[in-house]
Amino acid sequence: MKYFITALFVLLVVVSQCSSYRCGYYSCLPGHTCTNIDGQFKCQYNKDELIISQVVTNSWSDPTNGPSVQVKVDVNNYTHRTIKNIIIASDVKLNNGQIWGAKLNGFLIDFPDYVSIAPGKNHTFGYINYGVSAAHLWVQHVNYNNV
């Protein structure tokens, strides 16, 4: 019985780690953004300070993959701080060879180290998605620099 309870506890810990992601010492739930402002981590419900806009710029169909779309993505910074590091989550796994202006890590998208988004500015990247629509993207983690 003792081994069963220990195994159940370990399973509970693993499931809780898979359903959320790390934010400093905390875990944020899906739909929340991990913010790091001067080393202080916070889980915040997604706000309109950082807007992701997507436009399908091309579409086609081929016999092997079926329908596909080319998508242009703008990440707009409406805060008063410069964004140095942002991680965007996707509801589908995008193809690593079919993204530009960003890097893929599984279902996560991050920007090259040289990218920072000043207040009122944006960063543009693009990708190809299988299907007839753009992927669902949301901000999962962001680091701000004070200006």
Side-chain angles (χ1 to χ4, degrees), residues 87-99:
I87 297 175
I88 297 173
S90 171
D91 62 349
V92 296
K93 186 172 183 184
L94 301 171
N95 186 338
N96 198 27
Q98 298 177 327
I99 189 167

Side-chain angles (χ1 to χ4, degrees), residues 91-144:
D91 62 349
V92 296
K93 186 172 183 184
L94 301 171
N95 186 338
N96 198 27
Q98 298 177 327
I99 189 167
W100 48 95
K103 301 180 291 187
L104 275 179
N105 182 10
F107 288 85
L108 302 177
I109 301 167
D110 61 354
F111 297 151
D113 293 337
Y114 60 84
V115 172
S116 62
I117 308 173
K121 301 296 182 181
N122 71 320
H123 177 71
T124 301
F125 70 96
Y127 65 89
I128 293 174
N129 191 34
Y130 297 124
V132 296
S133 62
H136 177 226
L137 303 178
W138 66 94
V139 177
Q140 187 173 53
H141 180 93
V142 61
N143 285 324
Y144 294 101

Side-chain angles (χ1 to χ4, degrees), residues 4 24-25 29 60 69-71 76 82 112 114 124 129 141-142:
F4 177 73
Y25 295 110
L29 297 174
W60 63 92
V69 292
Q70 179 179 341
V71 183
N76 299 287
T82 298
Y114 60 84
T124 301
N129 191 34
H141 180 93
V142 61

Side-chain angles (χ1 to χ4, degrees), residues 3-146:
Y3 295 115
F4 177 73
I5 292 173
T6 303
L8 189 58
F9 177 74
V10 169
L11 182 63
L12 179 65
V13 169
V14 169
V15 168
S16 69
Q17 290 296 319
C18 293
S19 63
S20 60
Y21 59 94
R22 300 297 298 163
C23 180
Y25 295 110
Y26 309 103
S27 292
C28 295
L29 297 174
H32 289 73
T33 299
C34 175
T35 59
N36 175 1
I37 302 174
D38 297 327
Q40 292 189 349
F41 290 90
K42 262 194 243 184
C43 297
Q44 295 181 322
Y45 188 74
N46 289 341
K47 297 182 187 180
D48 293 336
E49 293 178 339
L50 206 59
I51 303 292
I52 299 173
S53 305
Q54 300 188 82
V55 176
V56 174
T57 59
N58 197 3
S59 63
W60 63 92
S61 185
D62 67 59
T64 305
N65 297 317
S68 295
V69 292
Q70 179 179 341
V71 183
K72 176 186 169 221
V73 183
D74 285 317
V75 180
N76 299 287
N77 179 4
Y78 293 108
T79 70
H80 62 281
R81 294 181 170 104
T82 298
I83 296 171
K84 181 60 184 153
N85 184 5
I86 182 172
I87 297 175
I88 297 173
S90 171
D91 62 349
V92 296
K93 186 172 183 184
L94 301 171
N95 186 338
N96 198 27
Q98 298 177 327
I99 189 167
W100 48 95
K103 301 180 291 187
L104 275 179
N105 182 10
F107 288 85
L108 302 177
I109 301 167
D110 61 354
F111 297 151
D113 293 337
Y114 60 84
V115 172
S116 62
I117 308 173
K121 301 296 182 181
N122 71 320
H123 177 71
T124 301
F125 70 96
Y127 65 89
I128 293 174
N129 191 34
Y130 297 124
V132 296
S133 62
H136 177 226
L137 303 178
W138 66 94
V139 177
Q140 187 173 53
H141 180 93
V142 61
N143 285 324
Y144 294 101
N145 291 338
N146 283 329

